[in-house]
Amino acid sequence: MALILAIESSCDDTSAAVLENDCVLSNMIAGQKVHEMYGGVVPELASRAHQENIVPVVDAALRSAGVKTTDLDAIAFTGGPGLLGSLLVGVSFAKSMAWALGCPMMAVNHLEAHVLAHFLQQPGQRKEVPAFPYLCLLVSGGHTQILKVCGPFQFETLGTTIDDAAGETIDKAAKIMGLPYPGGPVIDRLAKTGNPKAFRLAKPRIPDLNYSFSGLKTSFLYLVRDHLAENPDFIAENQADLCACIQQAVIDTLLDKLIKAAEQHRIKDIAIGGGVSANSLLRSRIEACGREYGWRTFLPPFSYTTDNAAMVGMAGYFKWLQKDFCPLDTVPYTRQGR
Ligand code: KG4
Ligand code: ZN
């Protein structure tokens, strides 16, 4: 039995969780409203907010789980990729605490944590988990990848974006329409009453299982710019349709390659992860694909779609089982390849 404290601070959410093995006892997240007025995450402000939040968030996670620091067996933290100033807060805090308690630490890769979130369990209930190898469509603000997950830390990248990420594309479309940051949840909500066929957008044509979203983004920008030249109220009058069109174009593109990957690799356990996996159209379309292609689908609960420490704790627990601990001189890294 392992009681693990997990810490996530890679971007603009400060989060702490307590896990008993794979079971989540608590998962606290402090978001940062300060970035809304800038239309995107301001790294300097993010690290300052992490500094303010980290102690209260860890304290709340421990209290909610009914666990004392001296009960902890290990500490897991996000080592990267992410913003350096943000990561430094969580990594330094975790290292100091592990050193003070004399317990081992596990440095977790943020993307691996998103992928492994499907193994998290809640107290008193066991749910089905994917069987290896499974496919995971990882879609967030910074990443868009199709991964073949052969084991907890054995991934094969089958496809990746060659330019913008799916979440980034949606956020940029929201910015073009003057909608608040992050645009994903807003577009999701507004698109519900819009017509996804109202406007034509350029469809990416990229070979293999890779993605490209920059052409779609430019096509959306030109569409809005050209119509605005004729009608200054174009955005306000067509907001729902514009949201439905960009959302549909992104989701169609994501699914097209995911279906190909599943066919080529003959895999029927299909998972999604990352912030964009909260999108209601993506979720319903994945379930529809499940019925059509006989997939067993795994959609993370909403609280585990965007950044959270529970998923870091899950990856940390897999490392604990492998005794894959990290030394005290571990430093954060900003990019996936380090
Ligand atoms: O995984 P995440 O919290 O942070 C990164 O690691 O990037 O993902 C954030 C991204 C943002 O682009 C946000 O707009 C998007 O996830 N997002 C959504 C929805 N909720 C969050 N995109 C579409 N629909 C949503 N409901
Ligand atoms: Zn993330």
Side-chain angles (χ1 to χ4, degrees):
M1 210 274 286
L3 263 184
I4 297 174
L5 170 71
I7 292 169
E8 152 66 33
S9 72
S10 63
C11 191
D12 60 339
D13 291 307
T14 320
S15 182
V18 177
L19 270 71
E20 184 176 336
N21 300 342
D22 56 0
C23 183
V24 185
L25 301 185
S26 67
N27 183 39
M28 297 292 164
I29 305 172
Q32 303 180 355
K33 290 233 167 282
V34 64
H35 307 287
E36 275 173 18
M37 62 194 284
Y38 298 98
V41 176
V42 183
E44 172 71 16
L45 297 180
S47 38
R48 287 175 193 222
H50 283 305
Q51 291 280 17
E52 284 171 18
N53 293 341
I54 189 91
V55 170
V57 166
V58 169
D59 194 44
L62 289 168
R63 273 172 203 268
S64 162
V67 165
K68 297 193 292 292
T69 50
T70 46
D71 298 332
L72 294 170
D73 294 298
I75 297 183
F77 61 87
T78 304
L83 301 170
L84 187 69
S86 291
L87 288 163
L88 270 171
V89 177
V91 173
S92 306
F93 185 91
K95 290 203 292 188
S96 330
M97 198 161 168
W99 183 75
L101 295 171
C103 67
M105 302 177 287
M106 292 81 74
V108 166
N109 178 296
H110 182 81
L111 302 179
E112 292 177 350
H114 271 301
V115 172
L116 297 171
H118 295 279
F119 291 88
L120 286 168
Q121 301 286 351
Q122 303 303 315
Q125 59 184 81
R126 298 296 298 177
K127 67 172 177 67
E128 263 189 90
V129 297
F132 300 116
Y134 66 94
L135 292 189
C136 184
L137 174 68
L138 182 60
V139 269
S140 71
H143 300 273
T144 303
Q145 293 178 332
I146 300 176
L147 298 166
K148 181 175 171 186
V149 188
C150 302
F153 302 107
Q154 287 168 273
F155 302 123
E156 206 183 306
T157 307
L158 304 182
T160 188
T161 181
I162 59 167
D163 42 53
D164 297 346
E168 192 182 355
T169 308
I170 293 178
D171 290 342
K172 281 183 181 160
K175 199 169 184 176
I176 291 168
M177 290 185 279
L179 297 172
Y181 176 86
V186 186
I187 288 197
D188 191 351
R189 180 168 47 81
L190 293 172
K192 288 191 196 317
T193 55
N195 172 12
K197 295 202 173 107
F199 303 104
R200 270 174 67 92
L201 292 168
K203 282 250 159 86
R205 286 173 215 265
I206 296 290
D208 310 324
L209 297 173
N210 288 329
Y211 291 110
S212 164
F213 288 103
S214 67
L216 178 62
K217 180 188 65 188
T218 311
S219 152
F220 187 79
L221 177 69
Y222 288 173
L223 173 98
V224 173
R225 187 195 62 183
D226 293 350
H227 280 86
L228 273 181
E230 288 164 18
N231 172 11
D233 296 327
F234 173 71
I235 296 178
E237 287 170 8
N238 296 278
Q239 203 178 45
D241 288 349
L242 287 167
C243 290
C245 287
I246 187 72
Q247 176 177 265
Q248 174 110 328
V250 171
I251 306 297
D252 278 351
T253 309
L254 289 173
L255 284 172
D256 182 38
K257 299 293 174 91
L258 183 62
I259 293 166
K260 282 199 182 101
E263 274 170 5
Q264 282 174 18
H265 291 264
R266 296 173 200 280
I267 292 179
K268 287 190 184 286
D269 270 16
I270 311 287
I272 54 173
V276 183
S277 68
N279 183 268
S280 55
L281 179 67
L282 176 62
R283 294 172 82 93
S284 63
R285 294 274 302 275
I286 290 273
E287 281 176 335
C289 283
R291 292 188 291 275
E292 188 175 346
Y293 300 106
W295 293 352
R296 204 159 63 121
T297 55
F298 296 90
L299 310 178
F302 285 107
S303 48
Y304 302 146
T305 53
T306 45
D307 293 346
N308 66 88
M311 67 182 191
V312 176
M314 187 66 237
Y317 176 59
F318 278 118
K319 288 196 175 236
W320 162 272
L321 292 175
Q322 298 178 0
K323 298 207 173 358
D324 183 2
F325 304 131
C326 69
L328 206 54
D329 60 1
T330 299
V331 289
Y333 52 96
T334 54
R335 288 175 185 276
Q336 179 63 356
R338 295 183 192 206

